[in-house]
Amino acid sequence: MPPHAQPLPASDDDAFAAELFEPTDGLLLDASADPQEQARQMLKTVYGYDQFRGRQAEVIDSLLAGKSTLAVMPTGMGKSVCFQIPALLFGGLTVVVSPLVALMEDQVMALKLLGIAADSINSSRSREDNVSVWRKVAAGEIRLLYIAPERLMTERMLAALARLPVRLIAIDEAHCISRWGPSFRPDYEGLTRLTDFFPKTPIAALTATADEATREDIAEKLFPRTLAGERDGNVIVSGFDRPNIRLSVQLRNDWKKQLLDFVEARRDQSGIVYCLSRRKTEETAEFLKEHGIKAFAYHAGMDSNIRAAHQALFMRESGTVMVATIAFGMGIDKPDVRYVFHTNLPSNMEAYAQEIGRAGRDGEPSEAMMLYGLDDIRMRRSFIDNEGGDEDHLAREHKRLDALIAYCEAPSCRRQSLLVYFGETIEPCHNCDVCLDPPELKEGTSEALSLIEVAEQTGEIFGAVQLIDILRGLTHEKIKKYGHHKLACHGTGKTTSKEDWRAILRQMVAANFLRLDIQNHGALKLTDKSDQLKKSEIRFSYRTDVMAPSELSRPKRAKSSLPELDNADKDLYEALRAARSDLAREHKVPAYVIFTDKTLADMAIQKPTTRPDFLLIHGVGSSKQRKFADAFIDVIENWLNI
Ligand code: ADP
Ligand code: ZN
């Protein structure tokens, strides 16, 4: 901790915050007491949470010990708390670097509601506003200052900050600093010089996505050097697992019906539906609207005003569905997205993991549902081939796609197959469709041999439809034209349905028993594995439950961690939700920023009628108690008829 710590009058126009945060000796952290315990108390009094999640406590410990720290945590774990609590305990000023203005404004708003003196200097504000924020910063009235990297790294700003007690620098989306990653931002590169300007100030670098190479690169760029020239800091990586997200995959048959069934069963929830094309997002949103769902399209080609309006609706109103291309996501900080529905196969495992990660950031039960089909595989393969690049690159991309296909057809725990890809092994999760409803595996060597045989006999130039029609004994024009009705295998597979054949074929492709040749319009070709199968060296077995998705039961709803409410409490809960909507409108913030559903449910059960009791509710800290207790206690008293 910097020895030059000076007392700062921590005043906000919020007198309560001043009282809570006014430092007595410059540092709020009491050196004689356990820092961990002080952090935990802060979590309780300010945020109203009882326990740290994941590795939050370790990150906070490391920062409180004055060490620069890189925290890699999946989205929704609560990265913000990791630097906000040290910022509060350190006193002085914490500078937070954030790439997106919208994110900055959201965080500042949320912090203000928690009674924390936070503000931001950014390009969306007028010069006067920015100047007035700066005056407050200079006067020591701001605890957390949010700022974009390019603004921070100007000589003037750095010189001005050097005169202030900067106790901590937090860098959000820290992976943007690395050229290794796909999200490199040139304006982040300047941050490398931070250690020169603030050699004694610990840096908190935070990100949700960083593989090993990127992590090293971030540490190399942001950690200070020891006298011996080594990088000094801690890297703390949380697992990629998001156990609250239930994983399900279904074959696409009647996708509109599959989507509608899913969405209708979750009418009061907000979700994201991903589509491949702009046109399809619009059609799909229209389709859902026709069925009374609050759905909006979102894609990069839309008028920016309409797009912003749709985004605002999604952020503020519950029960809305955003039908989007993958352009929608980066910077979407809505914690209560209850599901992500993919209407098609995503591009690869990385993309999939990131896209489903937008569900359930609040840690509550959420769902990821994906539909896929043979068309998707064909299309993804051709995307890869059209992208170009050298042979190695192509082979790699195809392999990555293979991993995703294998995930789709996983015969055992889906989460295991997802995490194994990221180098993590876990026990079966009991929260995926495969665990909850284990598939039966069926011996399918003879069917597989039939398909290999018919592909071989027709010259390996025909696609799935023709091969299956031959086995099923059809005699349409294309069969006759090539004389396929005269093949010995014609009609030998009549007893197996077309759908079953397609599923077997797909699983063979997924497992590389046959190869889909994109250049040749999806012709099926033999592979080494086909030969091994023919020689009886290996066998083929397949999942039967992916065969007829229409018969699959609807995914059972995730068991909510919202407490069960009896009917009377439910009434009160609804009344509390209405009060929350009013407050959200009044404060111009999304409803969850006031209180989460879980907090309201707890309130409906506990029915606090005094301020001290109100403070005991999950998610109620002292600032929110002061701001909102009366409004909600009114509702409760009304309901109790007192
Ligand atoms: P991230 O930046 O990692 O995506 P956030 O910092 O936005 O996540 O936090 C996600 C949500 O989790 C927020 O609503 C936050 O208040 C909540 N949260 C953070 N820490 C805890 C905790 N220890 N217990 C309960 N909720 C928490
Ligand atoms: Zn599982």
Side-chain angles (χ1 to χ4, degrees):
M1 261 150 271
H4 55 270
Q6 295 161 13
L8 281 172
S11 74
D12 174 21
D13 25 352
D14 186 330
F16 182 79
E19 182 192 312
L20 184 60
F21 299 118
E22 181 131 41
T24 46
D25 59 352
L27 292 177
L28 286 167
L29 191 62
D30 175 356
S32 64
D34 178 10
Q36 177 97 91
E37 183 48 32
Q38 294 177 71
R40 217 196 49 74
Q41 273 174 17
M42 197 61 100
L43 183 73
K44 182 66 192 159
T45 51
V46 177
Y47 299 85
Y49 300 136
D50 291 320
Q51 288 161 8
F52 285 114
R53 271 205 307 228
R55 306 189 66 179
Q56 281 177 328
E58 288 167 70
V59 176
I60 290 171
D61 266 359
S62 166
L63 289 170
L64 289 180
K67 285 268 186 200
S68 284
T69 307
L70 166 59
V72 186
M73 276 184 195
T75 311
M77 267 296 201
K79 281 185 283 296
S80 318
V81 165
C82 294
F83 64 86
Q84 287 168 359
I85 287 183
L88 297 177
L89 287 171
F90 279 154
L93 178 67
T94 288
V95 176
V96 186
V97 179
S98 175
L100 297 171
V101 173
L103 277 187
M104 255 184 230
E105 295 283 354
D106 276 3
Q107 288 224 2
V108 166
M109 194 66 89
L111 283 168
K112 283 184 173 167
L113 279 181
L114 292 171
I116 297 168
D119 224 315
S120 86
I121 292 184
N122 70 56
S123 56
S124 77
R125 299 190 170 185
S126 69
R127 202 184 129 69
E128 292 76 59
D129 283 355
N130 280 333
V131 168
S132 112
V133 171
W134 176 255
R135 289 221 177 89
K136 285 198 207 166
V137 172
E141 290 168 12
I142 298 292
R143 186 69 77 224
L144 290 114
L145 174 67
Y146 283 72
I147 189 166
E150 64 278 10
R151 232 171 225 269
L152 171 63
M153 297 315 289
T154 59
E155 300 303 322
R156 262 185 73 202
M157 180 58 80
L158 289 166
L161 284 172
R163 289 192 290 274
L164 298 174
V166 178
R167 303 274 166 69
L168 177 66
I169 299 172
I171 299 177
D172 212 358
E173 311 284 348
H175 57 281
C176 295
I177 204 173
S178 173
R179 287 180 181 271
W180 291 104
S183 337
F184 172 67
R185 295 174 71 109
D187 46 358
Y188 259 63
E189 204 157 47
L191 299 173
T192 310
R193 295 187 302 146
L194 275 176
T195 46
D196 300 339
F197 289 98
F198 303 96
K200 297 221 164 68
T201 309
I203 291 182
L206 307 126
T207 173
T209 49
D211 58 19
E212 181 92 45
T214 310
R215 296 204 283 268
E216 274 171 29
D217 201 28
I218 296 172
E220 175 66 27
K221 294 205 157 98
L222 291 178
F223 287 179
R225 282 188 194 279
T226 60
L227 289 176
E230 278 162 15
R231 288 289 161 188
D232 187 22
N234 293 321
V235 179
I236 296 172
V237 184
S238 270
F240 279 83
D241 192 12
R242 296 280 307 281
N244 62 315
I245 302 179
R246 172 165 300 177
L247 305 172
S248 305
V249 178
Q250 279 185 8
L251 271 178
R252 189 172 54 243
N253 50 4
D254 181 351
W255 72 271
K256 282 191 166 174
K257 182 176 184 310
Q258 288 171 296
L259 173 65
L260 189 62
D261 284 351
F262 186 93
V263 172
E264 278 191 325
R266 295 159 182 78
R267 267 187 183 271
D268 54 337
Q269 302 179 1
S270 293
I272 300 175
V273 175
Y274 281 117
C275 296
L276 282 184
S277 68
R278 295 173 179 185
R279 195 169 50 91
K280 201 170 152 200
T281 62
E282 290 181 2
E283 286 171 5
T284 306
E286 249 347 280
F287 165 73
L288 289 174
K289 262 189 225 157
E290 281 162 19
H291 288 84
I293 311 278
K294 273 196 281 175
F296 303 98
Y298 185 101
H299 59 73
M302 272 163 87
D303 177 85
S304 62
N305 290 327
I306 299 180
R307 205 171 59 199
H310 286 180
Q311 177 164 349
L313 280 167
F314 179 68
M315 294 301 283
R316 303 211 189 292
E317 287 188 19
S318 56
T320 46
V321 178
M322 199 62 131
V323 186
T325 59
I326 50 168
F328 183 71
M330 166 96 177
I332 295 313
D333 200 13
K334 186 175 168 61
D336 57 350
V337 174
R338 289 275 71 85
Y339 60 84
V340 168
F341 190 110
H342 282 90
T343 55
N344 293 86
L345 193 73
S347 55
N348 54 46
M349 289 285 247
E350 285 85 352
Y352 176 67
Q354 196 147 51
E355 285 154 22
I356 65 171
R358 290 170 191 139
R361 298 178 64 154
D362 54 8
E364 297 295 316
S366 307
E367 294 169 85
M369 168 61 81
M370 186 219 295
L371 303 182
Y372 79 111
L374 197 55
D375 306 346
D376 285 330
I377 301 178
R378 193 151 48 206
M379 182 198 59
R380 288 290 175 197
R381 295 244 185 260
S382 78
F383 278 180
I384 294 172
D385 288 331
N386 293 337
E387 236 174 55
D390 58 39
E391 269 307 304
D392 276 358
H393 173 77
L394 288 182
R396 230 180 2 253
E397 291 302 304
H398 281 294
K399 260 197 170 153
R400 290 167 70 195
L401 179 57
D402 288 343
L404 182 59
I405 299 168
Y407 167 81
C408 292
E409 314 238 279
S412 57
C413 177
R414 225 180 263 294
R415 197 176 309 273
Q416 279 181 333
S417 98
L418 179 70
L419 290 176
V420 133
Y421 182 82
F422 293 107
E424 274 179 58
T425 48
I426 55 156
E427 293 297 307
C429 75
H430 305 299
N431 196 25
C432 71
D433 51 353
V434 183
C435 280
L436 293 169
D437 208 351
E440 261 177 51
L441 291 183
K442 196 171 167 190
E443 169 57 44
T445 305
S446 85
E447 285 88 347
L449 283 171
S450 296
L451 280 163
I452 289 170
E453 185 189 354
V454 68
E456 197 171 22
Q457 288 181 5
T458 52
E460 299 179 51
I461 56 170
F462 291 93
V465 175
Q466 182 81 351
L467 300 186
I468 290 169
D469 284 354
I470 297 170
L471 291 177
R472 299 200 64 238
L474 271 60
T475 51
H476 53 66
E477 199 163 323
K478 195 173 169 191
I479 299 263
K480 288 199 186 132
K481 180 175 165 198
Y482 293 100
H484 288 164
H485 55 299
K486 294 180 195 145
L487 291 169
C489 58
H490 184 253
T492 52
K494 273 188 186 149
T495 51
T496 305
S497 75
K498 185 165 126 194
E499 286 71 32
D500 287 0
W501 276 121
R502 284 183 76 91
I504 294 170
L505 188 56
R506 199 175 36 254
Q507 292 191 50
M508 286 177 71
V509 170
N512 202 27
F513 282 91
L514 280 174
R515 183 170 65 84
L516 205 53
D517 186 346
I518 303 301
Q519 256 88 34
N520 284 308
H521 310 288
L524 288 155
K525 309 223 150 161
L526 272 57
T527 66
D528 292 348
K529 266 175 126 177
S530 340
D531 290 337
Q532 288 174 289
L533 197 75
K534 284 201 290 186
K535 291 186 209 141
S536 304
E537 288 169 9
I538 48 175
R539 306 192 68 79
F540 171 75
S541 51
Y542 60 99
R543 289 180 56 159
T544 51
D545 67 324
V546 292
M547 298 281 207
S550 51
E551 285 161 29
L552 277 183
S553 55
R554 258 193 212 170
K556 289 161 215 130
R557 231 161 130 174
K559 194 168 154 279
S560 170
S561 76
L562 278 182
E564 281 292 322
L565 295 173
D566 61 34
N567 281 340
D569 288 351
K570 242 183 215 143
D571 281 353
L572 175 55
Y573 176 69
E574 289 307 327
L576 293 168
R577 276 171 68 107
R580 177 179 66 176
S581 298
D582 292 345
L583 285 168
R585 228 164 287 132
E586 183 189 321
H587 289 264
K588 297 198 175 61
V589 294
Y592 64 81
V593 173
I594 306 284
F595 284 130
T596 62
D597 288 350
K598 195 168 173 185
T599 298
L600 295 188
D602 198 25
M603 240 179 255
I605 291 169
Q606 310 292 343
K607 306 180 186 60
T609 52
T610 64
R611 284 182 158 217
D613 283 351
F614 195 78
L615 192 57
L616 299 177
I617 301 298
H618 170 90
V620 178
S622 6
S623 168
K624 287 193 177 173
Q625 175 208 31
R626 208 176 52 83
K627 292 194 173 82
F628 304 130
D630 292 348
F632 288 97
I633 287 175
D634 261 4
V635 174
I636 295 167
E637 286 185 337
N638 250 331
W639 187 85
L640 291 170
N641 268 328
I642 12 181

